[in-house]
Every structure is written in C-alpha cells, then in structure tokens.
Amino acid sequence: MPDSVTIDQALDAFLRDQRARLSDRTYRNYEDVIRLLRDSLNFYAYSSLDARDAKRWQKAFDAGDEEAFCHLFGPDEIPPHLGEFLGYFMVRKVSAGQELLKAAGTVTGKLARWLEQQAYIESDAAEVAVDRARDSARELPAADRLTDLLVEVAIKAPDIDVDDVGEEDWVEDQLMIDRVEPGKIWFEGGIGPIRVPKRASEIAQPGWMVFIVAARRNARWHLLEVGSVYP
C-alpha cells in the first residue's frame, strides 16, 4: 500500500502552493525542476531502499508502474535523494541551460522548507537539504560554464595519438581538480598544469570532478577531451 501521503501528492501540493505567488516564467521553471526531480526519484532513488521497501517497489515496478517510487513512498524520501539529483542527474542526465541549473537549486531549497513547514520532514533534514540546494544554485551554473570553457580548450589542442606517447604521459579518467592558478589548472595525480583561459581558472574549484583525456608532449600537458564538470 502507498504511504498516507505520497511523494507525488506532496509535489503536486507544493506546486499548487507556489502557483499563486510566482510569475508565469518562474512557475514554468518550478514545474520543470519538479518534473525532473520526479524522474530522478523514479529512476534512481529505489537503490537506497531497505529490503522491505525495495520489495514493495519491485512488485509495483514489475507490474508496469514505472513511476512506482513516487506513487508508493512518502516525501521524507526526497531529502536523501537531493544530492544525487543535483550533483549527478542535473549534470549528467539533463541538457539544461544556466537558468534551469540555477533554478534546480532554488526550487529544491524552497521545496525542503515547504516539506518542513508541512511536517513531512524533520528540521535537521531540511537544513541539510537547504544548504545543499543553496550550494547547487551557485555551483551548478558555474560548473556548466567551466565545462564549456574546457571543451573549447580541448578543441584547440594539438592532435596527439595515444600510440605516440608513453603510458606515463597519457591519462583518461575522472579526476579531481587539485589546484588552480590564474590561467592554469592541475588535476590529481600530478596532471598539469593545463593552460586554460583566465575565466576558466576563476571558476574552477579544487575538489570538483571532471572526466578528462590528457596527454603530455614536450613536458607540457594538453587537454584533449573533457566531460561534464561535477561540483
């Protein structure tokens, strides 16, 4: 049986409450973020369920309910998933522009406060969720801008074949940004410096993760390919 108030019901009520106070454009962003949050919950949040709830979810999913997670479980399941939604789903699975990326943090922060006000979640869970959302509202658009700047660097890199360099001069991995100076970025494992536009080094933060392909030739590291930046 579904919980007394389901995620679907709570999210619908949240949107109804917000509609009266928002402009049409802002409300569309709220709708988009909540739709994406539902997708993320339904696609990925089941992996954190305990054995009993996982069995409930599996039974409903196997019966054809692809949105079983939001149909079965209560809104207290939302805050534990926000890290994955903001840090993975919005970065890796969504082709989102700057406005929607910023909105994802803003809307999830408002949602966490609303869930607290409705007594669906505890205050400590709300505080953690709001802090995560606030950071994401700032960092997700910045990480997206950095991705674009690093792609430009990779496009301009010289043609280097993996067969032309030694194993110690080639890296293809998801690495953490280790150090930043004006116009330069280093990655963990001693990869760098890689020369980048000053704008890129102003945005980049130690601790952010990036999938890169890089090669060293004539004692200089070159960025050849780059994936999304994860704050």
Side-chain angles (χ1 to χ4, degrees), residues 161-173:
D161 194 309
V162 62
D163 295 328
D164 296 334
V165 297
E167 183 176 344
E168 70 279 5
D169 294 323
W170 182 274
V171 62
E172 185 173 355
D173 202 356

Side-chain angles (χ1 to χ4, degrees), residues 12-26:
D12 285 344
F14 170 70
L15 286 176
R16 284 195 302 270
D17 281 0
Q18 306 309 305
R19 184 66 187 95
R21 67 178 191 83
L22 299 174
S23 68
D24 289 345
R25 176 177 177 177
T26 302

Side-chain angles (χ1 to χ4, degrees), residues 57-144:
W57 172 83
Q58 192 70 57
K59 181 178 179 180
F61 186 84
D62 290 346
D65 186 359
E66 295 185 352
E67 299 177 355
F69 193 91
C70 288
H71 290 162
L72 286 177
F73 300 111
D76 59 310
E77 296 286 351
I78 295 174
H81 184 70
L82 290 183
E84 183 170 359
F85 171 64
L86 295 168
Y88 173 77
F89 188 84
M90 288 300 298
V91 176
R92 188 70 179 270
K93 298 297 182 180
V94 179
S95 297
Q98 293 282 307
E99 184 177 2
L100 186 57
L101 287 171
K102 185 175 182 179
T106 301
V107 174
T108 51
K110 295 287 188 182
L111 173 62
R113 284 296 182 213
W114 183 88
L115 292 172
E116 179 188 15
Q117 291 164 3
Q118 305 303 312
Y120 290 143
I121 63 174
E122 299 292 336
S123 295
D124 56 349
E127 289 300 328
V128 172
V130 168
D131 287 345
R132 181 69 178 88
R134 186 183 299 115
D135 289 344
S136 294
R138 180 182 67 255
E139 292 179 348
L140 283 177
D144 185 60

Side-chain angles (χ1 to χ4, degrees), residues 7-8 11-12 14-15 27-44 67 70 81 85 89-90 93-97 100 103-104 107-108 111:
I7 293 170
D8 255 356
L11 293 179
D12 285 344
F14 170 70
L15 286 176
Y27 182 71
R28 284 194 295 271
N29 281 336
Y30 271 62
E31 284 187 312
D32 288 342
V33 171
I34 294 302
R35 172 179 53 82
L36 291 168
L37 177 59
R38 288 184 208 264
D39 288 345
S40 184
L41 286 161
N42 285 320
F43 293 157
Y44 299 106
E67 299 177 355
C70 288
H81 184 70
F85 171 64
F89 188 84
M90 288 300 298
K93 298 297 182 180
V94 179
S95 297
L100 186 57
V107 174
T108 51
L111 173 62

